[in-house]
Amino acid sequence: MRILTRVDEVRRALADDRAKGRSIGFVPTMGYFHAGHLSLMRAARETCDIVVVSIFVNPTQFAPDEDFGSYPRDVARDKRMAEEVGVDYVFTPTVEEMYRPRHATYVEVEGPVTGVLCAAGRPGHFRGVATVVAKLFNIVEPDKAFFGQKDAQQAIVIRRMVEDLDMPVEVVVCPIVREADGLAMSSRNVYLSEKERQAALVLVETLKAAEEMIGRGERDAGAVKSAIERLIRAEPLACLEYASVCDTIHLDDVQEMKGEVLIAVAARFGKARLIDNTIIRLKAED
Ligand code: AMP
């Protein structure tokens, strides 16, 4: 496994692989790996000849009052974990390498996909995400890029950008990887105290309760959303940010549950802001 830190190094290394006809799979990350990240690398390993992973805590997707400075980092451990799953290249640029002096170009995905859910509480976040992913795609030029369903809205924004800007990359979205008790894995889980860690289970439990309601025949999206809000608000250590029952492409609110529906939640537990979601697929006869 090779560690690359400069844009020109990545281009040179991958030009050689591309010339040999090798397909390139790319996993963009902010590091501090857990099994969720590794699942994306394994998916890339299974379907592509070359696997490239980037580790870059991207300052432009953090608001000034967010945790850019304190975001957990352990690149030495990340490198060991990446090597174990058979990654070929790890790209760890500095902030200065990615944003050179006088950087002035940003990618703005417009519309509801960047106006609702996480966007409401994190203004500018998806502009930063789209910009850095567009840059990384231009640097790596992957055939396939792997993202986690854990960040459902991020995956939708990236798909929109790729389609709108005719980027020649296939976006692959992989399932949410959870701890044994159901908590969605997240680098930010390290912020949780023991009590908050226990309280955070309310997210997955609430999503399960919503699935059960729908399983019993509930089709009123408003009723499902209210039930979710009530359950999360009942947890004293949770500060609910949003609960949404929406479609999986435009993130528009739905009234009646039918077809494919995304149920997404976000809440704060102490200084950790956590998100989780589930996709409900209803057949016409359901
Ligand atoms: P991050 O380092 O948090 O920016 O995440 C890098 C990639 O890993 C993103 O595509 C995330 O959606 C994905 N990811 C993070 N947590 C999980 C998880 N629990 N299961 C699956 N994918 C995840």
Side-chain angles (χ1 to χ4, degrees), residues 126-142:
F126 289 110
R127 178 186 194 246
V129 168
T131 301
V132 80
V133 173
K135 282 172 67 68
L136 290 166
F137 282 0
N138 281 335
I139 295 164
V140 175
E141 294 182 62

Side-chain angles (χ1 to χ4, degrees), residues 28-31 34 36-37 39-40 71 146-148 150-151 154 175-177 184-185:
T29 80
M30 298 206 298
H34 50 66
H37 296 108
S39 75
L40 305 185
Y71 192 84
F146 297 79
F147 294 86
K150 157 83 187 336
D151 298 88
Q154 170 171 281
I176 301 178
V177 177
M185 289 196 182

Side-chain angles (χ1 to χ4, degrees), residues 59-108:
T60 65
Q61 69 191 66
F62 289 80
D65 61 340
E66 290 183 351
D67 57 346
F68 173 71
S70 58
Y71 192 84
R73 294 162 167 90
D74 189 343
V75 178
R77 173 173 160 272
D78 289 346
K79 287 175 185 166
R80 288 196 299 274
M81 292 168 82
E83 184 142 40
E84 272 168 31
V85 293
V87 168
D88 298 290
Y89 299 103
V90 174
F91 177 42
T92 57
T94 58
V95 171
E96 294 70 30
E97 180 71 4
M98 288 298 280
Y99 296 103
R100 289 176 291 278
R102 295 175 184 265
H103 178 98
T105 307
Y106 292 87
V107 178
E108 189 103 45

Side-chain angles (χ1 to χ4, degrees), residues 148-209:
Q149 176 58 29
K150 157 83 187 336
D151 298 88
Q153 186 172 16
Q154 170 171 281
I156 289 167
V157 169
I158 299 300
R159 276 196 198 284
R160 182 84 270 137
M161 173 184 81
V162 163
E163 193 181 321
D164 291 351
L165 297 183
D166 305 296
M167 294 178 166
V169 52
E170 181 188 335
V171 174
V172 181
V173 180
C174 302
I176 301 178
V177 177
R178 297 179 179 281
E179 303 284 358
D181 60 7
L183 183 72
M185 289 196 182
S186 164
S187 305
R188 287 190 168 101
N189 289 349
V190 293
Y191 295 153
L192 298 167
S193 69
E194 220 167 286
K195 278 190 178 148
E196 288 161 354
R197 166 75 181 67
Q198 202 54 35
L201 289 172
V202 72
L203 297 182
V204 62
E205 283 162 4
T206 297
L207 292 172
K208 275 195 212 131

